[in-house]
Amino acid sequence: LTFSFPRSYFQVSTGAYKRQVHEVPLGKQITDPALIEKITWATWTSILGDEVIGIWPRNADKADVNCACVTHAGLNIVTGDDFGLVKLFDFPCTEKFVSGYFILVSTAS
């Protein structure tokens, strides 16, 4: 769930891998791409959208990238994926197949 600044809109990523933008407080869905493009987002936790197209590796399955979060400064985005990698990209990341900086995260049992 990501809110705009000011909190007039919010966006969600659905289980069907669709990005939806809604008005606050009524929840009416916004479908006009020109309006969506003009929205300034206060945060970003979505794995979907033109702003993050570059986080997806070539030949990635829709479920490969699980989470994303933009830094407070709004300059970078961090992602987590099915391969145990935490990757750092510039934000926005609008160029396809960008190589981010990454570290391997493993869990101890």
Side-chain angles (χ1 to χ4, degrees):
L1 182 66
T2 303
F3 282 96
S4 67
F5 181 80
R7 291 182 181 246
S8 302
Y9 303 96
F10 68 92
Q11 70 175 344
V12 294
S13 300
T14 71
Y17 295 94
K18 300 288 182 192
R19 175 185 179 195
Q20 293 183 350
V21 177
H22 298 266
E23 285 183 3
V24 172
L26 301 176
K28 178 184 175 207
Q29 186 172 354
I30 306 300
T31 56
D32 179 8
L35 175 58
I36 293 170
E37 187 175 309
K38 292 178 184 177
I39 298 172
T40 300
W41 298 102
T43 61
W44 191 283
T45 57
S46 178
I47 58 172
L48 304 174
D50 292 338
E51 297 84 347
V52 293
I53 196 123
I55 69 172
W56 293 90
R58 193 177 308 275
N59 301 319
D61 183 83
K62 284 185 178 179
D64 286 348
V65 179
N66 301 306
C67 59
C69 187
V70 169
T71 60
H72 289 288
L75 301 175
N76 301 100
I77 187 165
V78 177
T79 64
D81 64 29
D82 281 352
F83 310 105
L85 297 176
V86 175
K87 296 180 183 177
L88 177 70
F89 299 91
D90 290 335
F91 184 81
C93 189
T94 57
E95 188 177 326
K96 287 185 177 184
F97 315 123
V98 172
S99 294
Y101 301 98
F102 64 90
I103 59 170
L104 179 62
V105 177
S106 63
T107 56
S109 48

